[in-house]
């Protein structure tokens, strides 16, 4: 008999707070658990885990397992895998969800190898098949040109990593009730072979791309590092952030951290403006959560116009300066 039950989210903590991906995983995890009529549990690791237990319940968890050990304060492959695998063996969840983040992408395959489950990585959507009650994971394949649905028919737990900003975050309700359960840490420091030798914090100028409500993305057609200044001016007026497709990053016109798309950042702003980019699937798969998509391209056949709500067919150098000037006038800056 299959004794796997419940949904377990491996949560992430960043700077003492629940990381945004944890709240997104709670949103999708709650939905899956409700459909199965089973519990939603969350594992939090690190000295601050306990202090975030109540908030995690407010975001939808029935049970919060807290492993409060200073060895878990920063992500460590060996330590996190050990604690998460021990908990999974003890509670036998049917579904385990992680973020498709640096942490989740490292932890998920290690955990899956130890548990012998089925893993779908980089998913965009998750649902439950009403007939089989199995997890259905949707993930982009072939450079984002197609979507595959993945079902693990017999291996349990069914595991998935979900891309940031692809599912709506859970809504907070402080009246929710749940249990905070301490996890006894059986970590043996000598078994931790990975050592973090240095931690470098990424310097971000202005608003982080993933958090911006307006994102202005430049493509290969921008032509040079200097020309990106026109995009920065537009983004500044709108209080937004600048991103790029892959070619400007490869050319060194902008840092690689600004790449938006399948192998870069996923964005879901209120307004996305794509300038001089063709709209390749590998880029589009990273912007589909945007509420309004505006495209500027001199080629009216460019694929970006197929997903854009508004399009301007023109040379961007002729469009951006008057557009920025007019917006400046309108917002009064
Ligand atoms: C595994 C894999 C992962 C990838 N991941 C990503 C990713 O994460 N993000 C990403 O972006 N790409 C990614 N790519 C690359 C992707 O497939 C495309 O090659 C890339 O997105 C194309 O970038 P682009 O639209 O800027 O350039 P192009 O396709 O060359 O398009 C440039 C556009 O600019 C227009 N243009 C030129 N000059 C002007 C002008 N003066 N005014 C107006 N329009 C102008 C042209 O009409 C053209 O449409 C990936 C590829 C692979 C294989």
């Amino acid at each position: 008999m299959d004794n796997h039950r419940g949904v377990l989210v491996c949560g992430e903590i960043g700077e003492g707070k629940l990381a945004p991906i944890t709240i997104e995983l709670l949103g999708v995890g709650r939905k899956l658990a409700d459909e199965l009529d089973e519990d939603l549990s969350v594992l939090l690791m690190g000295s601050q885990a306990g202090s975030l237990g109540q908030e995690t319940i407010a975001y939808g968890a029935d049970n919060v397992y807290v492993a409060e050990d200073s060895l878990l304060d920063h992500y460590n492959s060996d330590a996190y895998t050990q604690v998460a695998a021990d908990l999974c063996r003890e509670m036998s969840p049917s579904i385990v969800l992680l973020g498709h983040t640096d942490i989740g992408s490292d932890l998920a395959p290690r955990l899956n190898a130890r548990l012998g489950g089925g893993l779908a990585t980089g998913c965009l959507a998750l649902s439950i098949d009403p007939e089989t009650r199995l997890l259905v994971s949707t993930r982009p394949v072939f450079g984002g040109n197609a979507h595959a649905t993945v079902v693990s028919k017999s291996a349990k737990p069914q595991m998935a990593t979900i891309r940031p900003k692809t599912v709506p975050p859970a809504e907070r309700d402080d009246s929710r009730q749940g249990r905070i359960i301490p996890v006894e840490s059986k970590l043996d420091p000598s078994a931790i072979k990975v050592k973090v030798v240095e931690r470098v914090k990424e310097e971000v100028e202005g608003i982080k791309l993933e958090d911006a409500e307006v994102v202005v993305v430049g493509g290969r057609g921008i032509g040079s590092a200097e020309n990106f200044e026109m995009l920065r001016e537009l983004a500044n007026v709108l209080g937004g952030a600048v991103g790029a497709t892959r070619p400007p990053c490869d050319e060194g016109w902008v840092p690689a951290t600004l790449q938006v798309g399948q192998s870069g950042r996923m964005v879901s702003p209120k307004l996305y403006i794509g300038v001089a980019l063709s709209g390749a699937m590998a880029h589009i798969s990273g912007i589909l959560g945007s509420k309004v998509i505006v495209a500027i391209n001199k080629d009216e056949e460019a694929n970006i116009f197929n997903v854009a709500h508004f399009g301007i067919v023109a040379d961007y150098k002729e469009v951006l300066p008057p557009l920025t000037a007019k917006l400046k006038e309108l917002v009064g800056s």
Side-chain angles (χ1 to χ4, degrees), residues 142-143 217-223 244-248 259-265 275-285 296-300 302-304 312 314-317:
F142 302 120
V217 175
R220 195 198 309 264
I222 297 298
T245 57
R246 186 151 135 178
Q259 183 176 317
V260 173
Q262 184 200 334
S263 49
R265 317 259 162 163
V275 188
L277 55 88
S278 59
M281 269 317 291
H283 177 69
I284 286 179
S285 62
I296 303 170
N297 195 308
K298 64 181 182 184
D299 174 10
E300 63 179 12
N303 188 50
I304 188 70
I312 303 171
D315 185 330
Y316 82 92
K317 288 182 191 160

Side-chain angles (χ1 to χ4, degrees), residues 268-312:
S268 50
K270 286 187 178 158
L271 174 62
Y272 162 98
I273 305 176
V275 188
L277 55 88
S278 59
M281 269 317 291
H283 177 69
I284 286 179
S285 62
I287 67 160
L288 286 178
S290 309
K291 303 275 175 304
V292 176
I293 297 176
V294 176
I296 303 170
N297 195 308
K298 64 181 182 184
D299 174 10
E300 63 179 12
E301 300 288 324
N303 188 50
I304 188 70
F305 291 126
N306 292 325
V307 293
H309 300 96
F310 300 97
I312 303 171

Side-chain angles (χ1 to χ4, degrees), residues 132-294:
T132 59
R133 290 170 58 82
L134 291 173
L135 178 69
V136 180
S137 311
T138 305
R139 60 188 301 270
V141 288
F142 302 120
N145 285 301
H147 284 174
T149 28
V150 180
V151 177
S152 169
K153 285 197 170 152
S154 52
K156 292 273 179 79
Q158 306 158 90
M159 294 182 55
T161 66
I162 191 124
R163 290 167 188 256
K165 304 275 181 195
T166 51
V167 292
E171 288 194 10
R172 187 174 176 145
D173 173 358
D174 287 309
S175 68
R176 281 190 55 87
Q177 304 281 316
R179 295 189 303 159
I180 299 173
I181 305 158
V183 175
E184 196 195 329
S185 171
K186 296 174 208 135
L187 275 179
D188 169 8
S190 68
I192 301 176
K193 298 186 188 71
V194 175
K195 287 210 166 36
V196 178
V197 285
E198 193 187 6
R199 210 169 288 279
V200 182
K201 204 167 172 207
E202 182 192 331
E203 296 296 333
V204 182
E205 250 182 65
I207 309 164
K208 265 174 90 176
L209 252 180
E210 300 94 312
D211 299 335
E213 293 198 340
V214 178
V215 171
V216 182
V217 175
R220 195 198 309 264
I222 297 298
S224 70
E226 295 71 38
N227 289 348
F228 261 85
E229 197 46 42
M230 270 186 256
L231 278 72
R232 280 185 209 102
E233 278 179 32
L234 175 60
N236 281 344
V237 175
L238 297 169
V242 169
T245 57
R246 186 151 135 178
C249 301
D250 289 350
E251 293 290 339
W253 299 341
V254 295
T257 47
L258 294 197
Q259 183 176 317
V260 173
Q262 184 200 334
S263 49
R265 317 259 162 163
M266 312 290 284
V267 296
S268 50
K270 286 187 178 158
L271 174 62
Y272 162 98
I273 305 176
V275 188
L277 55 88
S278 59
M281 269 317 291
H283 177 69
I284 286 179
S285 62
I287 67 160
L288 286 178
S290 309
K291 303 275 175 304
V292 176
I293 297 176
V294 176

